Each structure stands twice: as C-alpha cells, then as structure tokens.
Amino acid sequence: MMIAPSTDPIRSIHEIIEYAENIKHDADFLHCDIMDGRFVENKTYSYVGVASINEKTLIALDVHLMVSEPSKDIDKYLQAGANILTVHYEAYVDKKKLIKDLKKIRQSHTLSGLSIKPQTPVSEILPYLSYTDVVLVMSVEPGKSGQKFLDETYQKVAQLNKIRSDYNVNFKIEVDGGINPLVSEKLKQCGADILVSGSYVYSSEDKITAISSLR
Ligand code: DX5
Ligand code: ZN
C-alpha cells in the first residue's frame, strides 16, 4: 500500500516544505490539494506553490486539482513538477477535453489521474479508464480535510478493482478523505493501492508511525 499525506491541513508553503522533509523517507507521495474557490469553496496555493515545493524537496508530488477549469493550467502544473496530475471528472462539460488533457499529462511522462466525487458512479468514467493511470475515489466531499469517511467508498473501490481485472487495464486505485487505520485495512482488501491522509497523519504526534499504521 502506498501512502500520500496531504497538504490540505497546512497553511503556508514554508510549513508544507518542512512537513515534506519530515516524512519524505516514509511516505510515497506528497498529496498537493489545489482548490480554486469555485469548484470547492476553499482556495489554496496553485502551480507556483507546487513549483517551489518541488524545488525544495525530493518527495514525489501527487497533485489533486479541485478546480473548475483544469484545462487552463494543466501545462503549468506539468512544468511545476507533478508526478501524478489528477483532474476531476465533474469539472469537464466537454468530455473530449478530458480525454485531451489525460493524453497530454501522459505525454509529459506524468501519471494521469481522474477523480470522482462521492456522488459520481464508477460507471460514468468507464469510457476514460484507458487514458487514466490513477483513479482517485473521493471518500468525502472534496473541499476540506477532517470529514468522516463515507462507507459507500468500499463498494466503488471493489468495483474498480473488478473492472481492471476483467478488462485487463492497469490503473491504480487511490482513495482520499477520512482515512485512518480503521478504514485502511478494508480498503486494502477491496483493492486500493494509494491512500491519501490529511488530518490523521498531520495531527499525529508521531507521523512516521501514523504513516506505517495505514499501510
Ligand atoms: C479533501 C482533500 C483531501 C483532504 C483529506 O478535499 O482532497 O486530500 O486533505 O484530508 P482528511 O484525510 O483529513 O480527510
Ligand atoms: Zn485530495
């Protein structure tokens, strides 16, 4: 199981870099939550922040774009050094644009991520899975950390796991929101590969033990 602690509970880029330095040998990715105040209410740093995190630390970056017009800034996030770049399915009115963006991400040797909110069924993203390296299943409403894990998520993860073996496709399954050691075990059994953790790891006194307790 891979673990990606998120930047959402942290206010400044300076502190994010400090956090990344502390966990870089134990975590697999730093999950960078980007919000634009439109797709979700909160607003965070953007590609400039991602670029400075990338300059100052060596941890791989898993960038989660919770923005309403991802196409506009994809190039900038690629240049900023994203290793996984994830867009939201719900942000695209024109689904041809979604395919174009997923292809563009892959062309720059970054892993393409596609995320679905809790109310979006897995069946809606079937046509896009062959362009997707990572499916990010939201297990809370995107927008803030510290919410309760939604139990419907297990079934979505199991469904994606079955799809990838039935159709012999190779995407990874990532889960984001409300993750703690009580839910991580069952997510693993359902087929999850990457778990994001905001408040659980960040608020633990011993962050290294917290990370290993999710694996
Ligand atoms: C939610 C973000 C998550 C968040 C998770 O909008 O996408 O990455 O930081 O935080 P926890 O683990 O506290 O739910
Ligand atoms: Zn996230």
Side-chain angles (χ1 to χ4, degrees):
M1 180 69 78
M2 290 179 273
I3 307 295
S6 91
T7 62
D8 189 33
I10 311 172
R11 289 296 132 239
S12 74
I13 295 293
H14 174 79
E15 277 175 71
I16 289 173
I17 292 165
E18 213 170 66
Y19 185 51
E21 281 296 297
N22 287 335
I23 59 167
K24 69 179 176 193
H25 299 296
D26 298 273
D28 299 278
F29 295 95
L30 180 71
H31 180 88
C32 298
D33 279 312
I34 311 293
M35 310 185 200
D36 66 350
R38 288 176 61 201
F39 186 75
V40 293
E41 219 170 280
N42 287 327
K43 200 171 170 169
T44 62
Y45 62 98
S46 69
Y47 47 85
V48 179
V50 175
S52 49
I53 297 167
N54 185 45
E55 246 169 60
K56 306 239 163 58
T57 68
L58 281 177
I59 193 165
L61 302 180
D62 169 28
V63 178
H64 177 195
L65 296 182
M66 288 169 275
V67 302
S68 56
E69 290 178 272
S71 304
K72 221 171 46 141
D73 291 331
I74 293 269
D75 291 308
K76 290 169 188 136
Y77 284 100
L78 291 171
Q79 277 168 28
N83 299 93
I84 304 176
L85 184 55
T86 297
V87 297
H88 261 274
Y89 171 75
E90 301 84 2
Y92 288 83
V93 184
D94 178 359
K95 303 298 184 200
K96 282 198 202 98
K97 248 188 181 174
L98 170 61
I99 295 178
K100 211 173 135 203
D101 284 352
L102 293 170
K103 282 185 173 169
K104 188 196 265 189
I105 295 168
R106 275 186 169 174
Q107 271 159 15
S108 78
H109 306 289
T110 296
L111 298 175
S112 63
L114 179 58
S115 184
I116 48 173
K117 295 209 253 181
Q119 284 181 27
T120 304
V122 165
S123 57
E124 285 207 32
I125 58 166
L126 291 183
Y128 312 101
L129 290 178
S130 61
Y131 307 99
T132 304
D133 298 308
V134 180
V135 176
L136 176 59
V137 181
M138 289 306 299
S139 41
V140 299
E141 275 308 319
K144 60 174 191 290
S145 58
Q147 304 178 76
K148 198 192 164 299
F149 180 86
L150 297 167
D151 285 334
E152 306 91 273
T153 313
Y154 296 123
Q155 190 258 330
K156 283 171 120 176
V157 172
Q159 194 183 349
L160 283 162
N161 194 33
K162 182 169 186 319
I163 289 166
R164 65 180 169 179
S165 71
D166 286 356
Y167 294 93
N168 204 16
V169 277
N170 245 332
F171 57 84
K172 298 269 182 256
I173 303 171
E174 179 175 15
V175 186
D176 183 6
I179 304 235
N180 59 42
L182 296 174
V183 300
S184 68
E185 185 55 39
K186 193 161 171 197
L187 284 170
K188 198 194 295 179
Q189 285 163 16
C190 292
D193 307 291
I194 310 172
L195 300 182
V196 176
S197 171
S199 47
Y200 176 72
V201 171
Y202 187 66
S203 66
S204 296
E205 205 156 315
D206 182 350
K207 297 177 175 52
I208 305 307
T209 306
I211 290 169
S212 70
S213 72
L214 296 175
R215 282 195 198 280

